[in-house]
């Protein structure tokens, strides 16, 4: 069986990402709640920047649409 490497996935610009600016009272990242595949998580709790499990990303881009800071974008490999 031949496995092909994933070519596109969501990634975070950590210079732009600030859950405290998205939700000043609770520090919850809007993209975390929007991801129906649950592959983006705030591992260390509220107010912490989320991480995306890129190998599990399904390419639905719900997180990109949900991020009010435009800190999440599509990463393309090999182009």
């Amino acid at each position: 069986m031949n496995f092909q490497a994933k070519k596109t996935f969501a990634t975070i610009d950590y210079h732009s990402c600030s859950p405290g600016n998205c939700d000043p009272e609770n520090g919850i990242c809007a993209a975390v709640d929007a991801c129906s595949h649950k592959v983006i998580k705030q591992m260390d709790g509220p107010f912490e920047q989320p991480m995306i499990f890129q190998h599990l990303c399904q390419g639905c881009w719900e997180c990109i649409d949900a991020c009010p800071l435009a800190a999440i974008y599509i990463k393309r490999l090999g182009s």
Side-chain angles (χ1 to χ4, degrees), residues 2-57:
N2 234 353
F3 289 101
Q4 192 170 28
K6 190 173 217 36
K7 303 256 187 216
T8 59
F9 49 85
T11 195
I12 300 171
D13 174 2
Y14 286 106
H15 295 292
S16 301
C17 179
S18 177
N21 289 337
C22 293
D23 181 359
E25 298 214 6
N26 301 309
I28 303 300
C29 171
V32 170
D33 286 338
C35 181
S36 61
H37 300 287
K38 307 298 182 208
V39 299
I40 179 170
K41 306 236 185 242
Q42 283 177 284
M43 300 298 288
D44 295 325
F47 295 99
E48 296 297 324
Q49 293 176 320
M51 68 176 289
I52 298 172
F53 295 93
Q54 295 173 336
H55 63 289
L56 298 173
C57 178

Side-chain angles (χ1 to χ4, degrees), residues 9-11 31 34 60-68 70-75:
F9 49 85
T11 195
C60 66
W61 315 133
E62 292 169 344
C63 57
I64 293 171
D65 293 338
C67 181
I72 303 176
Y73 61 97
I74 299 170
K75 176 78 174 178

